[in-house]
Amino acid sequence: MYKSKVYSYDYDDYEEGDKSGKTMIADIMADEEFPSLEEIIIGSWGDAWEDSCQSMIDDIVTNKDKFSHIKSLFIGDMDFEDCEVSWIIQGDYSKLWEAMPQLEKLVIKGSSELKLGNIKHDNLKSLEIICGGLPSSVIESIKKASLPSLESLLLYIGVDSYGFDGDKDTIKSLLNDSDFPALKYLGLEDSEIQDDIAEIVFNCKYISQINTLDLANGSLTDKGGQLIADKIKDYPNIKKIDLHYHYMTDDIMDKLDDIADELDIDIDLDDDQEADEYDGEVYYDPMLTE
């Protein structure tokens, strides 16, 4: 575990007029604990729905020598009371890869105006993006990334109403055309096409090398659950499957529970949902959208 600290402004800090994204990095560097930290978590910068975090990214790049001890960075750690995830204005991380060669983990929350650029990083082990909809341009950057040490990839795919402008072929291309030789944890969650994603994952090259599969928080139904039940016995490398928040019935959950016992693997089936029906249409909503 990294020695960590959270930095955040509340709305009063912002309203008083002296705190914003433009002051956050200076405040962090002025903190007497900062030189001893390995991880910094940046929450609300006061007006995340109006101003992006770009000034913070730029300030880290400008002061890269002072951030050379930081191995884990999270920008945007806020809940809906601070700012809805779809309202968080992110930034362009293109220059961060070269500025922080020691970085091992990067977590980004929010996808509005998010750009990753040309990703080339030898030491990054974990990349996580939490959002209500992941743009295909961001997925394309990840697909083309050079990340030889990447062990964990967790992407919230989301819905088209909040930023996901791809389809199942976008996900298939990501998994077929990327090259992450060290990958052990694959998470593609929070999707309205979760059944399709389950099928794509079980036909991708990473299925034989990962030990954890995360398909949680999405619209997974009996179709996807049955596919997992049919396929999982062929992959003894997989020791954990996270399916929490789903729309599977008791019959499929019982079947997966039996398989988990038989294979001695961990399958998380918590938080089962019921579909909404309105005007004759049935809706399976992912956990995080707006």
Side-chain angles (χ1 to χ4, degrees):
M1 295 292 292
Y2 303 110
K3 184 178 180 182
S4 178
K5 188 170 182 178
V6 178
Y7 295 91
S8 182
Y9 298 144
D10 61 28
Y11 189 67
D12 289 338
D13 293 329
Y14 172 65
E15 279 291 280
E16 290 171 3
D18 60 346
K19 300 294 182 182
S20 70
K22 295 178 175 61
T23 64
M24 179 65 78
I25 300 304
D27 282 351
I28 291 173
M29 291 190 296
D31 180 10
E32 62 181 12
E33 291 186 67
F34 173 62
S36 68
L37 300 177
E38 296 175 297
E39 176 180 65
I40 56 173
I41 300 171
I42 299 176
S44 173
W45 48 95
D47 59 343
W49 59 93
E50 290 184 348
D51 289 330
S52 78
C53 63
Q54 192 62 54
S55 59
M56 294 187 293
I57 298 170
D58 292 344
D59 285 347
I60 291 173
V61 171
T62 298
N63 295 279
K64 60 184 181 181
D65 291 344
K66 295 181 180 179
F67 282 81
S68 62
H69 58 291
I70 299 300
K71 297 180 179 180
S72 178
L73 175 65
F74 185 169
I75 297 183
D77 182 24
M78 61 190 89
D79 60 25
F80 71 93
E81 293 179 343
D82 292 312
C83 186
E84 297 282 6
V85 67
S86 63
W87 300 0
I88 299 172
I89 303 176
Q90 269 291 333
D92 186 344
Y93 289 73
S94 301
K95 295 181 180 179
L96 190 75
W97 312 112
E98 183 177 358
M100 300 187 76
Q102 80 288 349
L103 197 66
E104 295 179 349
K105 181 178 181 180
L106 176 64
V107 183
I108 298 168
K109 189 169 185 179
S111 61
S112 178
E113 298 187 19
L114 175 62
K115 296 180 182 179
L116 298 182
N118 182 24
I119 305 171
K120 186 175 182 180
H121 199 286
D122 289 340
N123 293 314
L124 195 74
K125 296 179 180 179
S126 179
L127 176 62
E128 180 176 342
I129 302 177
I130 305 164
C131 64
L134 194 62
S136 56
S137 59
V138 176
I139 296 174
E140 187 72 12
S141 286
I142 297 170
K143 182 179 75 174
K144 294 179 178 178
S146 174
L147 294 170
S149 299
L150 190 71
E151 297 176 357
S152 176
L153 177 65
L154 175 55
L155 304 176
Y156 280 49
I157 303 302
V159 301
D160 57 6
S161 300
Y162 291 102
F164 178 58
D165 54 355
D167 54 24
K168 62 183 182 181
D169 288 335
T170 308
I171 306 302
K172 184 183 295 185
S173 179
L174 167 66
L175 298 181
N176 286 345
D177 298 337
S178 58
D179 183 18
F180 306 131
L183 195 69
K184 298 299 179 186
Y185 181 116
L186 176 59
L188 298 172
E189 61 173 68
D190 194 57
S191 174
E192 59 187 346
I193 57 169
Q194 204 71 58
D195 287 338
D196 290 330
I197 290 176
E199 181 177 5
I200 291 166
V201 166
F202 273 93
N203 286 287
C204 82
K205 60 188 175 184
Y206 298 115
I207 196 65
S208 297
Q209 74 181 60
I210 60 174
N211 56 39
T212 302
L213 175 60
D214 182 352
L215 300 174
N217 291 322
S219 62
L220 193 75
T221 68
D222 283 358
K223 179 182 177 182
Q226 183 63 58
L227 182 143
I228 294 168
D230 291 341
K231 297 281 191 178
I232 190 59
K233 293 180 182 180
D234 295 332
Y235 301 100
N237 50 293
I238 298 178
K239 303 302 181 184
K240 181 175 182 179
I241 305 176
D242 190 348
L243 305 177
H244 82 272
Y245 189 103
H246 60 84
Y247 292 88
M248 292 182 287
T249 62
D250 289 344
D251 286 345
I252 293 296
M253 285 193 286
D254 288 343
K255 184 177 291 189
L256 288 167
D257 270 332
D258 290 343
I259 290 172
D261 290 339
E262 178 187 347
L263 301 180
D264 192 25
I265 61 176
D266 179 8
I267 303 180
D268 187 345
L269 299 169
D270 288 347
D271 202 10
D272 49 308
Q273 304 289 309
E274 291 187 7
D276 292 324
E277 186 171 350
Y278 178 75
D279 199 21
E281 293 287 336
V282 179
Y283 297 92
Y284 300 93
D285 296 318
M287 183 273 298
L288 184 65
T289 53
E290 184 178 7

